[in-house]
Amino acid sequence: MLCCYCSHPVLQRQPMTVPGQGPAHRDCYQQHLIEQRQFLGLNIRVLSDNQLAELQELVLMESNARQQANADIEVW
């Protein structure tokens, strides 16, 4: 069986099955997701500029909230 992304034999390194695609190497699949700008099923490429800006703001707000929560914990 050949990797659906690089066309090399799958059994040589970290084989997996990608639903709807077929057999693949785990690293080839991860590289594919990066190239397609997908994260946890969210295809970032299809977002409009406004949606992307809103997502960026939400991520920044969540990151700031987590940093603040972690800063509140003091170790004696």
Side-chain angles (χ1 to χ4, degrees), residues 11-68:
L11 297 178
Q12 291 180 347
R13 61 182 206 270
Q14 298 181 329
M16 66 177 289
T17 301
V18 179
Q21 297 290 317
H25 300 116
R26 187 170 308 278
D27 55 338
C28 290
Y29 176 64
Q30 290 171 345
Q31 183 62 36
H32 170 74
L33 291 179
I34 291 169
E35 289 170 359
Q36 294 300 311
R37 295 180 184 91
Q38 291 187 14
F39 181 75
L40 296 177
L42 176 64
N43 187 343
I44 298 171
R45 293 178 116 182
V46 301
L47 298 177
S48 69
D49 290 343
N50 289 339
Q51 291 170 326
L52 186 59
E54 185 176 339
L55 177 61
Q56 183 178 10
E57 184 64 27
L58 288 171
V59 169
L60 183 59
M61 286 177 11
E62 180 63 23
S63 180
N64 289 340
R66 290 182 185 197
Q67 286 177 0
Q68 184 178 7

